[in-house]
């Protein structure tokens, strides 16, 4: 058979038409996502709409346990590997791995107007003006109370400005009346511990902005260890494991083993789903100390990562899900507090939330006004894990009797200084 070369202009045009599909832009975006409720599911729905509007672009949402985000993602990124986008909570700690998407968003002014209060949490330095992602929601640490147990014990719940001591006394009475293993529990987390510590007067930072362990933090450590020693706190949550690993208290709360837990707004969906009608539960304002009645603001962020090979597509996708209509949909379906200023001002309707969940969302939203400035400073500090992780490790050692509370404070200060030194090398 003889092969002939086509030289006729019409033939050249036909040949060109056959190669056009190869020139269509295509990209694959992988999102590493964990969910407290249905966050990744909602994102996947929105990703399908994005794909429809951007032919050739594929968004794959990889749902992973939260532990993977905390423990494995940092290792991957340090090795130069990882996804294109991730949902993270160590906002400042991972910032050196974030990709600036400023050039790929349609309207920077929109981002500044609606996410301006939290964009600095994602920037590697204070002088940086880049856009690296945005908060998927604003969260706040705070307590949940088993209202049914209080009613059965005929104990009145303390009011909005009640102190931690008043809540501990009240829950002791409830625990005794209902024969509970303990009165209350806090998530095993230095982040959760920070709110009460600030309320007890911990400044956490000195005048230069450097970390410091002070009398307020010491008071909180002594109180917390003491509550474990006298049986008010359920020992299994903090004393059930070693090191700095995380454990939440919600499982104990769902099983009605305690009357009160300190966790956060992100658990509303889980409580709504898992407790159902088993008992009545409520979110209550953060209890007070001498200095404040504060929780810690925070949340998870969608961030672009330097490991991406498609920064433009990543920027376009983040810009898409950051738009008010899409953000409002995500917030309403996931029962979260918006970190979007425009949406926060308009208010959010939560059609899938039970009356209990709606009330809890209202309590947390109202509590934002009571957050201490130190709490915002703490959340935005890129080395805040230098405080959080040693707190969990050393306070646990004091709880189980390996050292005194004062010794734990000394160890926390030393560990903290060493962690900051290592991080700034």
């Amino acid at each position: 058979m003889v092969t002939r070369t086509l030289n006729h202009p019409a033939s050249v045009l036909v040949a060109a038409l056959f190669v056009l599909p190869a020139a269509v832009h295509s990209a694959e975006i992988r999102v590493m996502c964990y969910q407290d409720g249905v966050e990744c599911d909602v994102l996947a729905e929105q990703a399908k709409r994005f794909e429809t509007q951007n032919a050739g672009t594929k968004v794959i949402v990889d749902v992973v346990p939260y532990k993977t985000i905390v423990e494995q993602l940092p290792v991957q990124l340090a090795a130069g590997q990882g996804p294109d986008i991730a949902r993270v909570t160590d906002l400042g700690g991972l910032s050196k791995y974030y990709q600036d998407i400023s050039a790929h968003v349609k309207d920077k002014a929109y981002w500044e107007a609606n996410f301006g209060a939290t964009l600095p949490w994602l920037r590697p330095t204070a002088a940086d003006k880049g856009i690296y992602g945005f908060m998927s929601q604003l969260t706040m640490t705070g307590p949940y109370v088993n209202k049914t147990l209080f009613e059965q014990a005929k104990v009145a719940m303390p009011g909005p400005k009640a102190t931690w001591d008043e809540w501990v006394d009240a829950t002791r009475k409830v625990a005794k009346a209902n024969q509970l293993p303990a009165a209350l529990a806090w998530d095993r987390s230095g982040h959760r511990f920070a709110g009460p510590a600030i309320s007890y007067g911990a400044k956490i930072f000195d005048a230069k902005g450097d970390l410091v362990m002070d009398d307020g933090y010491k008071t909180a450590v002594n109180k917390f260890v003491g509550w474990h020693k006298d049986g008010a706190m359920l020992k299994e949550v903090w004393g059930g494991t070693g090191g700095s690993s995380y454990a939440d208290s919600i499982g104990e709360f769902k099983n009605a083993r305690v009357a009160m837990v300190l966790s956060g707004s992100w658990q509303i969906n889980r409580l709504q789903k898992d407790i159902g009608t088993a008992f009545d539960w409520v979110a209550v304002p953060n209890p007070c100390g001498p200095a404040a009645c504060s929780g810690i603001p925070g949340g998870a962020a969608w961030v672009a990562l330097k490991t991406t090979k498609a920064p433009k597509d990543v920027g376009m996708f983040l810009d898409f899900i950051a738009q008010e209509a899409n953000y409002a949909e995500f917030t309403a379906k996931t029962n979260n507090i918006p970190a979007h200023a425009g949406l926060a001002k308009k208010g959010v309707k939560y059609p899938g939330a039970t009356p209990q969940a709606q009330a809890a969302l209202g309590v947390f939203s109202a509590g934002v006004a009571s957050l201490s400035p130190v709490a915002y400073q703490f959340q935005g500090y890129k080395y805040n894990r230098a405080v959080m992780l040693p707190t969990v490790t050393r306070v646990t050692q004091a709880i189980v009797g390996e050292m005194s509370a004062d010794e734990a404070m000394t160890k926390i200060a030393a560990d903290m200084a060493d962690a900051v030194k290592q991080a700034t090398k």
Side-chain angles (χ1 to χ4, degrees), residues 139-160:
T139 61
M140 190 173 77
T141 62
Y144 294 100
V145 173
N146 186 321
K147 185 180 177 184
T148 299
L149 288 175
F150 267 82
E151 290 171 346
Q152 289 174 179
K154 297 181 180 178
V155 174
M157 286 195 293

Side-chain angles (χ1 to χ4, degrees), residues 10 22 51 54 72 82 92 95 98 121 169 180 184 222 226 229 231 251 296 302 304-305 338 371 395 416-417:
E51 290 174 350
N54 296 271
Q72 296 179 25
S95 62
Y98 300 164
W121 288 356
D169 288 344
L180 306 180
L184 70 167
N222 276 287
K229 296 285 188 183
I296 301 293
W302 301 115
L305 297 167
L371 292 171
V395 170
M416 178 184 73

Side-chain angles (χ1 to χ4, degrees), residues 204-217:
I204 299 181
F205 302 94
D206 62 19
K208 296 179 180 178
D210 296 325
L211 292 176
V212 63
M213 288 287 97
D214 54 21
D215 288 342
Y217 211 89

Side-chain angles (χ1 to χ4, degrees), residues 37 61 132 137 159 241 255 270 347 367-368 399 405:
V61 180
Y132 296 89
Q137 81 274 9
T241 187
N255 293 325
R270 183 178 170 192
V368 172
I399 288 169

Side-chain angles (χ1 to χ4, degrees), residues 22 24 26 48 97 137-138 153 167 172 205-206 242 298-300 314 347 394 404 416:
V24 173
S26 63
K48 294 298 181 186
Y97 301 115
Q137 81 274 9
L138 188 67
W167 271 106
R172 283 186 201 273
F205 302 94
D206 62 19
V314 164
R394 301 306 184 179
S404 69
M416 178 184 73

Side-chain angles (χ1 to χ4, degrees), residues 117-134:
T118 53
L119 284 177
W121 288 356
L122 306 179
R123 289 168 176 157
T125 65
D128 194 301
K129 300 299 180 185
I131 296 174
Y132 296 89
F134 64 97

